[in-house]
Amino acid sequence: MNDRLTPVWACRGAKVGFTAAAAAVATLALPGIASAHVTVQPGTADGGDFTAVAFRVPNERDNSSTTKIQVTLPANQPIGSVQTRPMNGWKVTTRTRHLDKPIDFFGTQLDSVVSTITWTATNRGLRAGQYDDFNVSLGPLPKSGSLSFNTFQTYSSGEVVKWNEVSADPSVEPEHPAPTLEMAAPAAEGSTADGAAPDTVKSSDPSTAQGAGPSAKSDGSSTAGIVLGGAALVVSLVTAVLSLRRRRPQVPAESLAEKPLDRSGV
C-alpha cells in the first residue's frame, strides 16, 4: 500500500474554505453594532400602549469615559408611568415635574410625572470602544406622532455632548440628533392595510389563529436568518471543494500506458 501525503496547497485551500464559511456564519450571528449616536432601541412602538425601550449609548472618546447619562422626557407629552431597571455600576435617579393640567391614568388624575432620568457611573463608566443599553419602561404612549428625548452625555474629562437636535427634514440627519421613538398605529381589527375586508378563516385550533399574527412574522424572520446562514456555509464549503479538485495533480496518460498487463492468469 502506497502512503500518499496531502499536499500543502490542499491543506491551505481547505483551511481558507472553512475559514470563509465560519466568517460568513459569524457575520450573520453577530448582533448589530452600536450606532455612533445615542439612539432609542427599538425605534418604533405601538401607539397608545406600554413599551420597554433602551437608550443605546456608545462612548465616542478615546481618552475619556462616559460617566453620566441624563434623559429628559418630552414636556408637551407627559407619560404617566416611567420605570427604570437597576444596572450594575450605575446609580439611577429620577426627577418629577408638576403638571398644570392633570392627566388621566386609568381613572386616576396625575398632577406630576417623571421629567428626567439620570444614570451616574459608580465605577469607571463606559470606556473607549464600549456601549451600553439604559432600559426604561414607558406608557401609555401617545397614539400617534413621535417622542424625542433630549439626552446629555457627560465624559470623565468634563465634556458634555448634547443629543437634542431634531431635523425638520427627515432625510437630513443633524450632527447630534435627539433619540426619537416613532409611534406605529396598530392596524384596525378585521381590516387589511388597504381597507378591504380580509377573507374569513375559521379554525378551532388556537395555534392556527395565532400563527396569522405578529408571531408568525417573527418566526419567518428567524427562519430566514437560519436559511441565509446555512446557505452561506454551503456556498463556502462548495467553493473549497471545487478549489481542491481544480488543483489536484493529474496522472499523466503515459504512465498508465507503460504499466505492463498481468497475463499470469491467461
Side-chain angles (χ1 to χ4, degrees), residues 63-265:
N63 56 357
S64 58
S65 301
T66 298
T67 57
K68 185 167 72 173
I69 298 296
Q70 180 177 301
V71 174
T72 300
L73 281 72
N76 60 341
Q77 295 173 308
I79 300 176
S81 174
V82 178
Q83 297 179 325
T84 61
R85 193 166 69 181
M87 288 183 63
N88 291 331
W90 296 85
K91 177 184 178 182
V92 188
T93 58
T94 58
R95 297 183 63 179
T96 60
R97 63 184 177 92
H98 179 75
L99 299 176
D100 294 333
K101 182 180 180 180
I103 60 173
D104 180 76
F105 186 74
F106 299 100
T108 301
Q109 297 297 306
L110 299 180
D111 58 4
S112 64
V113 293
V114 173
S115 58
T116 61
I117 309 171
T118 303
W119 290 267
T120 305
T122 58
N123 197 354
R124 289 180 151 185
L126 291 178
R127 289 173 284 180
Q130 296 182 336
Y131 81 94
D132 210 339
D133 290 336
F134 297 80
N135 298 280
V136 180
S137 172
L138 305 168
L141 301 173
K143 294 183 178 180
S144 61
S146 62
L147 295 174
S148 294
F149 303 86
N150 293 341
T151 303
F152 291 178
Q153 181 177 10
T154 303
Y155 287 92
S156 56
S157 62
E159 178 188 7
V160 178
V161 178
K162 299 179 180 180
W163 303 95
N164 60 354
E165 299 173 356
V166 178
S167 176
D169 184 357
S171 63
V172 179
E173 184 180 55
E175 183 178 0
H176 295 94
T180 301
L181 180 64
E182 300 287 344
M183 301 301 114
E189 184 177 356
S191 65
T192 60
D194 58 2
D199 295 334
T200 302
V201 179
K202 295 182 179 181
S203 173
S204 59
D205 185 0
S207 61
T208 304
Q210 293 174 0
S215 60
K217 295 182 180 179
S218 176
D219 293 340
S221 300
S222 299
T223 302
I226 295 173
V227 171
L228 288 175
L233 178 60
V234 171
V235 169
S236 299
L237 291 177
V238 170
T239 301
V241 172
L242 291 177
S243 176
L244 291 176
R245 295 187 63 181
R246 283 198 301 268
R247 298 188 180 186
R248 182 176 296 173
Q250 301 294 327
V251 179
E254 293 78 4
S255 63
L256 295 176
E258 294 174 359
K259 185 176 180 180
L261 296 175
D262 184 5
R263 299 179 180 275
S264 59

